[in-house]
Coordinates of all heavy atoms in Angstrom, one line a residue:
M1 N 11.5 44.3 46.2 CA 11.1 44.6 44.8 C 9.8 45.4 44.9 O 8.9 45.0 45.5 CB 11.0 43.4 44.0 CG 10.5 43.7 42.6 SD 10.2 42.2 41.6 CE 11.5 41.2 41.8
T2 N 9.8 46.5 44.2 CA 8.6 47.3 44.2 C 7.7 46.8 43.1 O 8.0 46.0 42.2 CB 9.0 48.8 43.8 OG1 9.5 48.9 42.5 CG2 10.0 49.4 44.8
D3 N 6.5 47.3 43.2 CA 5.4 46.9 42.2 C 5.9 47.3 40.8 O 5.6 46.6 39.8 CB 4.1 47.6 42.6 CG 3.4 46.9 43.7 OD1 3.8 45.8 44.1 OD2 2.5 47.5 44.3
Q4 N 6.5 48.5 40.7 CA 6.9 49.0 39.4 C 8.0 48.1 38.8 O 7.9 47.7 37.6 CB 7.5 50.4 39.5 CG 8.0 51.0 38.2 CD 6.8 51.3 37.3 OE1 5.7 51.5 37.7 NE2 7.1 51.3 36.0
E5 N 8.9 47.6 39.6 CA 9.9 46.7 39.1 C 9.3 45.4 38.7 O 9.7 44.8 37.6 CB 11.0 46.5 40.1 CG 11.9 47.6 40.4 CD 12.8 47.4 41.6 OE1 12.6 46.4 42.4 OE2 13.8 48.2 41.7
F6 N 8.4 44.9 39.5 CA 7.7 43.6 39.2 C 7.0 43.7 37.9 O 7.1 42.8 37.0 CB 6.8 43.3 40.3 CG 6.0 42.0 40.0 CD1 6.6 40.8 40.1 CD2 4.7 42.0 39.7 CE1 5.9 39.6 39.9 CE2 4.0 40.9 39.4 CZ 4.6 39.7 39.5
Q7 N 6.3 44.8 37.6 CA 5.5 45.0 36.4 C 6.4 45.1 35.2 O 6.2 44.5 34.1 CB 4.7 46.3 36.5 CG 3.5 46.2 37.4 CD 2.7 47.5 37.5 OE1 3.1 48.5 37.0 NE2 1.6 47.4 38.3
E8 N 7.6 45.8 35.4 CA 8.6 45.8 34.3 C 9.1 44.5 33.9 O 9.3 44.2 32.7 CB 9.7 46.8 34.7 CG 9.2 48.3 34.7 CD 10.3 49.2 35.2 OE1 11.4 48.7 35.5 OE2 10.0 50.4 35.3
R9 N 9.4 43.7 35.0 CA 9.9 42.4 34.7 C 8.9 41.5 34.0 O 9.2 40.7 33.1 CB 10.4 41.7 36.0 CG 11.7 42.3 36.5 CD 12.1 41.5 37.7 NE 13.4 42.0 38.2 CZ 14.1 41.5 39.2 NH1 13.6 40.4 39.8 NH2 15.2 42.1 39.6
V10 N 7.7 41.6 34.5 CA 6.6 40.8 33.8 C 6.4 41.2 32.4 O 6.3 40.4 31.5 CB 5.3 40.9 34.6 CG1 4.1 40.3 33.8 CG2 5.4 40.2 36.0
L11 N 6.4 42.5 32.1 CA 6.3 43.0 30.7 C 7.5 42.6 29.9 O 7.3 42.2 28.7 CB 6.1 44.5 30.7 CG 4.8 45.1 31.3 CD1 4.8 46.6 31.3 CD2 3.6 44.6 30.4
A12 N 8.7 42.6 30.4 CA 9.8 42.2 29.7 C 9.7 40.7 29.4 O 10.1 40.2 28.2 CB 11.1 42.4 30.5
W13 N 9.3 39.9 30.3 CA 9.1 38.5 30.1 C 8.1 38.2 29.0 O 8.2 37.3 28.1 CB 8.7 37.8 31.4 CG 8.5 36.3 31.2 CD1 9.4 35.3 31.2 CD2 7.2 35.7 31.0 NE1 8.8 34.1 31.0 CE2 7.5 34.3 30.9 CE3 5.9 36.1 31.0 CZ2 6.4 33.4 30.7 CZ3 4.9 35.2 30.8 CH2 5.2 33.8 30.7
I14 N 7.0 38.9 29.0 CA 5.9 38.8 28.0 C 6.5 39.2 26.6 O 6.2 38.5 25.7 CB 4.7 39.7 28.4 CG1 4.0 39.1 29.6 CG2 3.7 39.8 27.2 CD1 2.9 39.9 30.2
E15 N 7.3 40.2 26.6 CA 7.9 40.6 25.3 C 8.8 39.5 24.7 O 8.8 39.2 23.6 CB 8.6 41.9 25.4 CG 7.7 43.1 25.5 CD 8.5 44.4 25.7 OE1 9.7 44.4 25.5 OE2 7.9 45.4 26.1
R16 N 9.6 38.9 25.7 CA 10.5 37.9 25.2 C 9.7 36.7 24.8 O 10.1 36.0 23.8 CB 11.4 37.5 26.4 CG 12.6 38.4 26.6 CD 13.6 37.8 27.5 NE 13.1 37.3 28.7 CZ 13.0 37.9 29.9 NH1 13.3 39.2 30.0 NH2 12.5 37.3 31.0
T17 N 8.6 36.4 25.5 CA 7.8 35.2 25.1 C 7.1 35.5 23.7 O 7.1 34.6 22.9 CB 6.7 35.0 26.1 OG1 7.3 34.8 27.4 CG2 5.8 33.8 25.8
E18 N 6.7 36.7 23.5 CA 6.1 37.0 22.2 C 7.1 37.0 21.1 O 6.8 36.5 20.0 CB 5.4 38.4 22.2 CG 4.1 38.4 23.0 CD 3.6 39.8 23.2 OE1 4.2 40.8 22.8 OE2 2.4 39.9 23.7
D19 N 8.4 37.4 21.3 CA 9.4 37.3 20.4 C 9.7 35.9 20.0 O 9.9 35.5 18.9 CB 10.7 38.0 20.9 CG 10.6 39.5 20.9 OD1 9.6 40.1 20.3 OD2 11.4 40.2 21.6
W20 N 9.8 35.0 21.1 CA 10.1 33.6 20.9 C 8.9 33.0 20.0 O 9.2 32.2 19.1 CB 10.2 32.9 22.2 CG 10.4 31.5 22.1 CD1 11.5 30.8 21.9 CD2 9.3 30.5 22.2 NE1 11.3 29.5 21.8 CE2 10.0 29.2 22.0 CE3 8.0 30.5 22.4 CZ2 9.3 28.0 22.0 CZ3 7.3 29.3 22.4 CH2 7.9 28.1 22.2
K21 N 7.7 33.4 20.3 CA 6.5 32.8 19.6 C 6.6 33.3 18.1 O 6.4 32.5 17.2 CB 5.2 33.3 20.2 CG 4.0 32.8 19.5 CD 2.8 33.4 20.1 CE 1.5 33.0 19.3 NZ 1.5 33.5 17.9
D22 N 7.0 34.5 17.9 CA 7.1 35.0 16.5 C 8.2 34.3 15.7 O 8.0 33.9 14.6 CB 7.4 36.5 16.5 CG 6.2 37.4 17.0 OD1 5.1 36.9 16.9 OD2 6.4 38.5 17.3
R23 N 9.3 34.0 16.4 CA 10.4 33.3 15.7 C 10.0 31.9 15.4 O 10.2 31.3 14.4 CB 11.6 33.3 16.6 CG 12.4 34.6 16.6 CD 13.7 34.5 17.3 NE 13.4 34.0 18.6 CZ 14.0 34.2 19.7 NH1 15.1 35.0 19.7 NH2 13.7 33.8 20.9
T24 N 9.3 31.3 16.4 CA 8.8 29.9 16.2 C 7.8 29.8 15.1 O 7.8 28.9 14.2 CB 8.1 29.4 17.5 OG1 9.1 29.4 18.6 CG2 7.6 27.9 17.4
D25 N 6.9 30.8 15.0 CA 5.9 30.9 13.9 C 6.6 31.0 12.6 O 6.2 30.4 11.6 CB 4.9 32.0 14.1 CG 3.9 31.8 15.3 OD1 3.8 30.6 15.7 OD2 3.3 32.7 15.7
N26 N 7.6 31.9 12.5 CA 8.4 32.1 11.3 C 9.1 30.8 10.9 O 9.1 30.4 9.7 CB 9.4 33.2 11.4 CG 8.8 34.5 11.5 OD1 7.7 34.7 11.0 ND2 9.5 35.5 12.1
R27 N 9.6 30.1 11.8 CA 10.3 28.8 11.5 C 9.3 27.8 11.0 O 9.5 27.0 10.1 CB 11.0 28.2 12.7 CG 12.3 29.0 13.0 CD 13.0 28.4 14.2 NE 14.1 29.3 14.6 CZ 14.8 29.2 15.7 NH1 14.4 28.3 16.6 NH2 15.8 29.9 15.9
L28 N 8.1 27.7 11.6 CA 7.0 26.8 11.2 C 6.6 27.2 9.8 O 6.3 26.3 9.0 CB 5.9 26.9 12.2 CG 6.1 26.2 13.5 CD1 4.9 26.4 14.4 CD2 6.3 24.7 13.3
D29 N 6.4 28.4 9.5 CA 6.1 28.9 8.1 C 7.1 28.4 7.1 O 6.8 27.9 6.0 CB 5.9 30.4 8.0 CG 4.6 30.8 8.8 OD1 3.8 30.0 9.1 OD2 4.6 32.0 9.1
T30 N 8.4 28.6 7.5 CA 9.5 28.1 6.6 C 9.4 26.6 6.4 O 9.6 26.1 5.3 CB 10.8 28.5 7.2 OG1 10.8 30.0 7.4 CG2 12.0 28.1 6.3
L31 N 9.2 25.9 7.5 CA 9.1 24.4 7.4 C 7.9 24.0 6.5 O 8.1 23.1 5.7 CB 9.0 23.8 8.7 CG 10.3 23.8 9.5 CD1 10.1 23.3 11.0 CD2 11.4 23.0 8.9
E32 N 6.8 24.7 6.7 CA 5.6 24.3 5.8 C 5.9 24.6 4.4 O 5.5 23.8 3.5 CB 4.4 25.2 6.3 CG 3.8 24.7 7.6 CD 2.7 25.6 8.1 OE1 2.3 26.6 7.4 OE2 2.1 25.3 9.1
G33 N 6.6 25.7 4.1 CA 7.0 25.9 2.7 C 7.9 24.9 2.1 O 7.8 24.4 1.0
Q34 N 8.9 24.5 3.0 CA 9.8 23.4 2.5 C 9.1 22.1 2.3 O 9.4 21.3 1.4 CB 10.9 23.2 3.5 CG 11.9 24.4 3.6 CD 12.9 24.3 4.7 OE1 12.8 23.5 5.6 NE2 13.9 25.2 4.7
M35 N 8.1 21.8 3.2 CA 7.3 20.5 3.1 C 6.5 20.6 1.8 O 6.4 19.6 1.1 CB 6.4 20.3 4.3 CG 7.2 20.0 5.6 SD 8.0 18.4 5.4 CE 6.6 17.3 5.3
D36 N 5.9 21.7 1.5 CA 5.1 21.8 0.3 C 6.0 21.6 -1.0 O 5.6 20.9 -1.9 CB 4.5 23.2 0.2 CG 3.4 23.4 1.2 OD1 2.9 22.4 1.7 OD2 3.0 24.6 1.4
T37 N 7.2 22.2 -0.9 CA 8.1 22.0 -2.0 C 8.5 20.5 -2.2 O 8.6 20.0 -3.3 CB 9.4 22.9 -1.8 OG1 9.0 24.3 -1.7 CG2 10.4 22.7 -3.0
L38 N 8.8 19.9 -1.0 CA 9.2 18.5 -1.0 C 8.1 17.6 -1.5 O 8.3 16.7 -2.3 CB 9.6 18.1 0.4 CG 10.1 16.7 0.6 CD1 11.3 16.4 -0.3 CD2 10.4 16.4 2.1
Q39 N 6.8 17.9 -1.1 CA 5.7 17.2 -1.6 C 5.5 17.3 -3.1 O 5.2 16.3 -3.8 CB 4.4 17.6 -0.9 CG 4.4 17.1 0.5 CD 3.1 17.6 1.3 OE1 2.4 18.5 0.8 NE2 2.9 17.0 2.4
E40 N 5.8 18.5 -3.7 CA 5.7 18.7 -5.1 C 6.8 17.9 -5.8 O 6.5 17.3 -6.9 CB 5.8 20.2 -5.4 CG 4.7 21.0 -5.0 CD 4.9 22.5 -5.2 OE1 6.0 22.9 -5.8 OE2 4.1 23.3 -4.8
R41 N 8.0 17.9 -5.3 CA 9.1 17.2 -5.9 C 8.8 15.7 -5.8 O 9.1 15.0 -6.8 CB 10.4 17.5 -5.2 CG 10.8 19.0 -5.4 CD 12.1 19.3 -4.7 NE 13.2 18.6 -5.2 CZ 14.4 18.7 -4.7 NH1 14.6 19.4 -3.6 NH2 15.4 18.0 -5.2
I42 N 8.3 15.2 -4.7 CA 7.9 13.8 -4.6 C 6.8 13.4 -5.6 O 6.9 12.4 -6.3 CB 7.5 13.4 -3.2 CG1 8.7 13.4 -2.3 CG2 6.8 12.0 -3.1 CD1 8.4 13.3 -0.8
G43 N 5.8 14.3 -5.8 CA 4.8 14.0 -6.8 C 5.4 14.0 -8.2 O 5.0 13.1 -9.0
S44 N 6.3 14.9 -8.5 CA 6.9 14.9 -9.8 C 7.7 13.6 -10.0 O 7.7 13.0 -11.1 CB 7.8 16.1 -9.9 OG 8.5 16.1 -11.1
L45 N 8.4 13.2 -9.0 CA 9.2 11.9 -9.1 C 8.3 10.7 -9.3 O 8.6 9.9 -10.1 CB 10.0 11.8 -7.8 CG 10.9 10.5 -7.7 CD1 11.9 10.6 -8.8 CD2 11.6 10.5 -6.3
Q46 N 7.1 10.7 -8.6 CA 6.2 9.6 -8.8 C 5.6 9.6 -10.2 O 5.5 8.5 -10.8 CB 5.0 9.7 -7.8 CG 5.4 9.4 -6.3 CD 4.3 9.7 -5.3 OE1 3.4 10.5 -5.6 NE2 4.3 9.0 -4.2
E47 N 5.4 10.8 -10.7 CA 4.9 10.8 -12.1 C 6.0 10.3 -13.1 O 5.6 9.5 -14.0 CB 4.5 12.2 -12.5 CG 3.3 12.7 -11.8 CD 3.0 14.2 -12.2 OE1 3.7 14.8 -13.1 OE2 2.1 14.8 -11.5
G48 N 7.2 10.7 -12.8 CA 8.3 10.2 -13.7 C 8.5 8.7 -13.6 O 8.6 8.0 -14.6
I49 N 8.4 8.2 -12.4 CA 8.5 6.7 -12.2 C 7.4 6.0 -12.9 O 7.6 5.0 -13.5 CB 8.6 6.4 -10.7 CG1 10.0 6.9 -10.2 CG2 8.5 4.9 -10.5 CD1 10.1 6.7 -8.7
A50 N 6.2 6.5 -12.7 CA 5.0 5.9 -13.4 C 5.1 5.9 -14.9 O 4.8 4.9 -15.6 CB 3.7 6.6 -13.0
W51 N 5.7 7.0 -15.4 CA 5.9 7.1 -16.9 C 6.9 6.0 -17.3 O 6.7 5.3 -18.3 CB 6.3 8.5 -17.3 CG 6.5 8.7 -18.7 CD1 5.6 8.9 -19.7 CD2 7.8 8.6 -19.4 NE1 6.1 9.0 -20.9 CE2 7.5 8.8 -20.8 CE3 9.1 8.4 -19.1 CZ2 8.5 8.8 -21.8 CZ3 10.1 8.3 -20.0 CH2 9.8 8.6 -21.4
I52 N 8.0 5.9 -16.6 CA 9.0 4.9 -17.0 C 8.5 3.5 -16.9 O 8.7 2.7 -17.7 CB 10.3 5.1 -16.1 CG1 11.0 6.4 -16.4 CG2 11.2 3.9 -16.2 CD1 12.0 6.8 -15.4
R53 N 7.7 3.3 -15.8 CA 7.1 2.0 -15.6 C 6.2 1.6 -16.8 O 6.2 0.5 -17.3 CB 6.4 1.9 -14.3 CG 5.9 0.5 -14.0 CD 5.3 0.5 -12.6 NE 4.7 -0.8 -12.3 CZ 4.1 -1.1 -11.2 NH1 3.9 -0.2 -10.3 NH2 3.6 -2.3 -11.0
G54 N 5.4 2.6 -17.1 CA 4.5 2.4 -18.3 C 5.2 2.1 -19.6 O 4.8 1.2 -20.3
K55 N 6.3 2.8 -19.8 CA 7.1 2.5 -21.0 C 7.7 1.1 -21.0 O 7.7 0.4 -22.0 CB 8.2 3.5 -21.1 CG 7.8 4.9 -21.6 CD 7.4 4.8 -23.0 CE 7.3 6.1 -23.7 NZ 6.9 6.0 -25.0
M56 N 8.2 0.7 -19.8 CA 8.7 -0.6 -19.7 C 7.7 -1.7 -19.9 O 7.9 -2.7 -20.6 CB 9.4 -0.8 -18.3 CG 10.7 0.0 -18.2 SD 11.4 -0.1 -16.5 CE 12.0 -1.8 -16.6
E57 N 6.5 -1.5 -19.3 CA 5.4 -2.5 -19.5 C 5.0 -2.5 -20.9 O 4.7 -3.6 -21.5 CB 4.3 -2.1 -18.5 CG 4.6 -2.4 -17.1 CD 3.4 -2.0 -16.1 OE1 2.5 -1.4 -16.6 OE2 3.6 -2.2 -14.9
G58 N 4.9 -1.4 -21.6 CA 4.5 -1.3 -23.0 C 5.5 -2.0 -23.8 O 5.1 -2.7 -24.8
T59 N 6.8 -1.9 -23.5 CA 7.8 -2.6 -24.3 C 7.7 -4.1 -24.1 O 7.8 -4.8 -25.1 CB 9.2 -2.1 -23.8 OG1 9.3 -0.7 -24.0 CG2 10.3 -2.8 -24.6
Q60 N 7.4 -4.5 -22.9 CA 7.3 -5.9 -22.6 C 6.1 -6.5 -23.3 O 6.1 -7.6 -23.9 CB 7.1 -6.2 -21.1 CG 8.4 -6.0 -20.3 CD 8.2 -6.1 -18.8 OE1 7.1 -6.1 -18.3 NE2 9.3 -6.2 -18.1
E61 N 5.0 -5.7 -23.4 CA 3.8 -6.2 -24.1 C 4.0 -6.3 -25.6 O 3.6 -7.2 -26.2 CB 2.6 -5.3 -23.8 CG 2.1 -5.4 -22.4 CD 1.0 -4.4 -22.0 OE1 0.6 -3.6 -22.9 OE2 0.6 -4.3 -20.9
S62 N 4.7 -5.3 -26.1 CA 5.0 -5.3 -27.6 C 5.9 -6.5 -27.9 O 5.8 -7.1 -29.0 CB 5.6 -4.0 -28.0 OG 6.9 -3.8 -27.5
R63 N 6.9 -6.8 -27.0 CA 7.7 -8.0 -27.3 C 6.9 -9.2 -27.2 O 7.1 -10.2 -28.0 CB 8.9 -8.0 -26.3 CG 9.9 -7.0 -26.5 CD 11.1 -7.1 -25.5 NE 12.1 -6.1 -25.8 CZ 13.0 -5.7 -24.9 NH1 13.1 -6.4 -23.7 NH2 13.8 -4.8 -25.2
A64 N 6.0 -9.3 -26.3 CA 5.2 -10.5 -26.1 C 4.3 -10.7 -27.4 O 4.1 -11.8 -27.9 CB 4.3 -10.5 -24.9
A65 N 3.8 -9.6 -27.9 CA 3.0 -9.6 -29.1 C 3.8 -10.0 -30.3 O 3.3 -10.8 -31.2 CB 2.3 -8.3 -29.3
L66 N 5.0 -9.5 -30.3 CA 5.9 -9.9 -31.5 C 6.2 -11.4 -31.4 O 6.2 -12.0 -32.5 CB 7.2 -9.1 -31.4 CG 8.3 -9.4 -32.4 CD1 7.8 -9.0 -33.8 CD2 9.6 -8.7 -32.1
W67 N 6.5 -11.9 -30.2 CA 6.8 -13.4 -30.2 C 5.5 -14.2 -30.6 O 5.6 -15.3 -31.2 CB 7.2 -13.8 -28.8 CG 8.7 -13.4 -28.5 CD1 9.1 -12.5 -27.7 CD2 9.8 -14.0 -29.1 NE1 10.5 -12.4 -27.8 CE2 11.0 -13.4 -28.6 CE3 10.0 -15.0 -30.1 CZ2 12.2 -13.7 -29.0 CZ3 11.3 -15.4 -30.4 CH2 12.4 -14.7 -29.9
G68 N 4.4 -13.7 -30.2 CA 3.1 -14.4 -30.7 C 3.0 -14.4 -32.2 O 2.6 -15.4 -32.8
K69 N 3.3 -13.2 -32.8 CA 3.3 -13.2 -34.3 C 4.3 -14.1 -34.9 O 4.0 -14.7 -35.9 CB 3.5 -11.7 -34.7 CG 2.3 -10.8 -34.4 CD 2.7 -9.4 -34.8 CE 1.6 -8.4 -34.3 NZ 1.9 -7.0 -34.6
I70 N 5.5 -14.1 -34.3 CA 6.5 -15.0 -34.8 C 6.1 -16.5 -34.7 O 6.3 -17.3 -35.7 CB 7.9 -14.8 -34.1 CG1 8.4 -13.5 -34.5 CG2 8.8 -15.9 -34.4 CD1 9.6 -13.0 -33.7
A71 N 5.4 -16.8 -33.6 CA 4.9 -18.2 -33.5 C 3.8 -18.5 -34.5 O 3.8 -19.7 -35.1 CB 4.4 -18.4 -32.1
V72 N 2.9 -17.6 -34.8 CA 1.9 -17.8 -35.8 C 2.6 -18.0 -37.2 O 2.2 -18.9 -37.9 CB 0.9 -16.7 -35.8 CG1 0.0 -16.7 -37.0 CG2 0.1 -16.7 -34.5
L73 N 3.5 -17.1 -37.5 CA 4.2 -17.2 -38.8 C 4.9 -18.6 -38.9 O 5.0 -19.2 -40.0 CB 5.1 -16.1 -39.0 CG 4.5 -14.7 -39.2 CD1 5.5 -13.6 -39.3 CD2 3.7 -14.7 -40.6
A74 N 5.6 -19.0 -37.8 CA 6.3 -20.3 -37.9 C 5.3 -21.4 -38.1 O 5.6 -22.4 -38.9 CB 7.1 -20.5 -36.6
A75 N 4.1 -21.4 -37.5 CA 3.1 -22.4 -37.6 C 2.6 -22.4 -39.1 O 2.5 -23.5 -39.7 CB 2.0 -22.2 -36.6
V76 N 2.3 -21.3 -39.6 CA 1.8 -21.2 -41.0 C 2.9 -21.7 -42.0 O 2.7 -22.4 -42.9 CB 1.4 -19.7 -41.3 CG1 1.1 -19.6 -42.8 CG2 0.2 -19.3 -40.5
G77 N 4.2 -21.3 -41.7 CA 5.3 -21.7 -42.6 C 5.4 -23.2 -42.5 O 5.7 -23.9 -43.5
S78 N 5.3 -23.8 -41.3 CA 5.4 -25.2 -41.2 C 4.3 -25.9 -41.9 O 4.5 -27.0 -42.5 CB 5.3 -25.6 -39.7 OG 6.4 -25.1 -39.0
A79 N 3.1 -25.4 -41.8 CA 2.0 -26.0 -42.5 C 2.2 -25.9 -44.0 O 1.9 -26.9 -44.8 CB 0.7 -25.3 -42.1
I80 N 2.7 -24.8 -44.5 CA 2.9 -24.7 -46.0 C 4.0 -25.7 -46.4 O 3.9 -26.4 -47.4 CB 3.3 -23.3 -46.3 CG1 2.1 -22.3 -46.2 CG2 3.9 -23.2 -47.7 CD1 2.5 -20.8 -46.3
I81 N 5.1 -25.8 -45.6 CA 6.1 -26.8 -46.0 C 5.6 -28.2 -45.9 O 5.9 -29.0 -46.8 CB 7.3 -26.6 -45.0 CG1 8.0 -25.3 -45.3 CG2 8.3 -27.8 -45.1 CD1 9.1 -24.9 -44.3
A82 N 4.7 -28.5 -45.0 CA 4.1 -29.8 -44.9 C 3.3 -30.1 -46.1 O 3.3 -31.3 -46.6 CB 3.3 -30.0 -43.6
V83 N 2.5 -29.1 -46.5 CA 1.6 -29.4 -47.7 C 2.4 -29.5 -48.9 O 2.2 -30.4 -49.8 CB 0.6 -28.2 -47.8 CG1 -0.1 -28.2 -49.2 CG2 -0.4 -28.2 -46.7
L84 N 3.5 -28.7 -49.1 CA 4.4 -28.9 -50.2 C 5.0 -30.2 -50.2 O 5.2 -30.9 -51.3 CB 5.4 -27.7 -50.3 CG 4.8 -26.3 -50.6 CD1 5.9 -25.3 -50.5 CD2 4.2 -26.3 -52.0
A85 N 5.5 -30.7 -49.1 CA 6.1 -32.0 -49.0 C 5.2 -33.1 -49.3 O 5.6 -34.1 -49.8 CB 6.8 -32.1 -47.6
Y86 N 3.9 -33.0 -48.9 CA 2.9 -34.0 -49.2 C 2.7 -34.2 -50.7 O 2.5 -35.3 -51.1 CB 1.6 -33.6 -48.5 CG 0.5 -34.6 -48.6 CD1 0.6 -35.8 -48.0 CD2 -0.5 -34.3 -49.5 CE1 -0.4 -36.8 -48.2 CE2 -1.6 -35.3 -49.6 CZ -1.5 -36.5 -49.0 OH -2.5 -37.4 -49.1
F87 N 2.7 -33.1 -51.4 CA 2.4 -33.2 -52.9 C 3.6 -33.5 -53.7 O 3.5 -33.7 -54.9 CB 1.7 -31.9 -53.4 CG 0.3 -31.8 -52.9 CD1 0.0 -30.7 -52.0 CD2 -0.7 -32.7 -53.2 CE1 -1.3 -30.6 -51.6 CE2 -2.0 -32.5 -52.8 CZ -2.3 -31.5 -52.0
K88 N 4.8 -33.5 -53.2 CA 5.9 -33.8 -54.0 C 6.2 -35.3 -54.0 O 6.0 -36.2 -53.6 CB 7.2 -33.1 -53.5 CG 7.1 -31.7 -53.9 CD 8.5 -31.1 -53.7 CE 8.5 -29.7 -54.3 NZ 9.8 -29.1 -54.3

């Protein structure tokens, strides 16, 4: 093999290596874009779940408050009935 052939082979190998590196870089860029999109979607999903959870907790709190009001009204009603029964 002559020096000229050797140099051509080395240059061809370098070109193939650079092409491979460029393709790899392009794939990595594509994957990074997909990861960014996925992270945005996960963030949106987390916000949605947090909103739903907040609504459910709010509903539970309002129900608990309603039961508390019903208990107070029942106690007041019982006291009124007891007072009326005492005076009759």
Side-chain angles (χ1 to χ4, degrees):
M1 176 184 312
T2 64
D3 286 342
Q4 181 67 26
E5 289 174 345
F6 178 75
Q7 288 177 356
E8 288 174 2
R9 286 185 180 185
V10 169
L11 289 175
W13 179 81
I14 290 172
E15 286 178 15
R16 284 193 308 269
T17 303
E18 288 175 352
D19 290 343
W20 178 82
K21 182 187 174 295
D22 290 341
R23 284 187 306 213
T24 302
D25 289 344
N26 289 338
R27 287 181 184 166
L28 286 174
D29 290 342
T30 301
L31 286 174
E32 286 176 1
Q34 290 174 350
M35 288 298 292
D36 290 342
T37 302
L38 184 59
Q39 287 176 346
E40 289 174 8
R41 292 175 70 186
I42 288 173
S44 176
L45 181 62
Q46 288 174 336
E47 288 176 10
I49 290 172
W51 182 81
I52 291 169
R53 184 175 179 184
K55 283 292 194 182
M56 291 176 70
E57 288 175 356
T59 302
Q60 289 173 346
E61 289 175 4
S62 66
R63 285 183 184 165
L66 178 65
W67 283 110
K69 290 175 184 176
I70 290 172
V72 168
L73 288 175
V76 170
S78 296
I80 291 172
I81 291 172
V83 167
L84 291 176
Y86 180 73
F87 288 116
K88 280 192 175 190

